[in-house]
Amino acid sequence: MGVLHDLELAAGEGWIGEVPAGGGLRITDLHGNQAVDTLFYNAHDPEEHYSALDTIRAQKNIYLTTGTEIRSNLGVTMLTIVDDTCGRHDTLGGACSAESNTVRYAFEKRYMHACRDNFLLALARHDRGLSKRDLPSNINFFMNVPVTNDGALNFADGISAAGRYVQLRAQMDVLVLISNCPQLNNPCNAYNPTPIQILIWAGN
Ligand SMILES: [Zn+2]
């Protein structure tokens, strides 16, 4: 196993990197109940990216776990979840932003750091011309957003715990964009953002 990246990403930080086809990505929730907002792009054509709609439709389920094929907006499998010790990951809650913080919580929350800021900052540093038009709806690894019987979204307490991880195998060269959520206003991360580990390795 040729390790390409092994890093601890502090609470509230963003990161972008590549996973080669046949390689692996493991994200570990080091302290539990963290929300890890994540997007995937085709590394050679970033107009192809993770699609919540195509992924949900393909597996006929809104939650992601072992066996999930992460589909692109072209309906292609980008990665497969091959191991998951948490058991449920969110496709519907989206990323927190300055705007959503004002709507959900209070106007003075506008200036708090948010996942959308992390995404935009990481894209700008990556310097491949990607910008806010390239931000589709994202995955929230380790985040618990159950849907009620009448279809409402319920941002609930996390079901993850310290050391739980999700592991994916890349089916194409993918660019992974991560915001380790800085949110202090909802229970998705127990009001206490904590670091995660990102491990990426090359295939055989
Ligand atoms: Zn967030």
Side-chain angles (χ1 to χ4, degrees):
M1 174 169 116
V3 173
L4 302 174
H5 299 279
D6 182 359
L7 63 120
E8 188 171 308
L9 189 65
E13 292 291 311
W15 189 80
I16 191 166
E18 288 196 29
V19 188
L25 162 66
R26 179 186 282 199
I27 303 171
T28 303
D29 186 4
L30 292 173
H31 298 273
N33 286 342
Q34 182 56 9
V36 183
D37 294 45
T38 304
L39 280 167
F40 297 107
Y41 301 84
N42 178 333
H44 306 289
D45 177 13
E47 288 193 8
E48 181 175 19
H49 52 73
Y50 163 70
S51 164
L53 184 66
D54 289 86
T55 301
I56 291 167
R57 187 168 53 202
Q59 68 171 14
K60 301 184 177 66
N61 194 294
I62 56 172
Y63 306 122
L64 309 183
T65 186
T66 305
T68 290
E69 295 183 355
I70 306 289
R71 299 286 181 104
S72 75
N73 55 321
L74 302 184
V76 175
T77 300
M78 306 181 77
L79 309 99
T80 304
I81 299 181
V82 293
D83 198 1
D84 175 21
T85 60
C86 174
R88 177 187 287 188
H89 308 275
D90 167 65
T91 56
L92 302 175
C96 61
S97 66
E99 293 79 5
S100 69
N101 281 342
T102 65
V103 172
R104 283 184 188 150
Y105 310 115
F107 187 72
E108 64 268 21
K109 307 291 188 188
R110 179 176 181 80
Y111 305 101
M112 295 179 73
H113 194 50
C115 284
R116 193 171 166 81
D117 300 331
N118 274 344
F119 280 157
L120 291 173
L121 193 57
L123 286 179
R125 285 178 177 155
H126 192 59
D127 199 22
R128 284 177 44 161
L130 297 171
S131 67
K132 58 182 164 185
R133 71 185 156 79
D134 301 296
L135 291 180
S137 183
N138 58 281
I139 296 168
N140 292 304
F141 286 117
F142 309 109
M143 188 166 157
N144 185 25
V145 186
V147 175
T148 64
N149 285 339
D150 57 358
L153 291 185
N154 180 17
F155 287 75
D157 287 349
I159 56 172
S160 186
R164 294 197 180 174
Y165 63 83
V166 60
Q167 185 168 318
L168 302 97
R169 179 182 168 85
Q171 312 289 357
M172 62 169 71
D173 293 339
V174 295
L175 201 55
V176 54
L177 175 62
I178 289 175
S179 168
N180 192 17
C181 186
Q183 185 56 256
L184 293 170
N185 300 292
N186 99 33
C188 67
N189 53 15
Y191 309 98
N192 177 33
T194 50
I196 58 169
Q197 185 196 20
I198 299 171
L199 182 64
I200 294 177
W201 61 93
N204 302 321

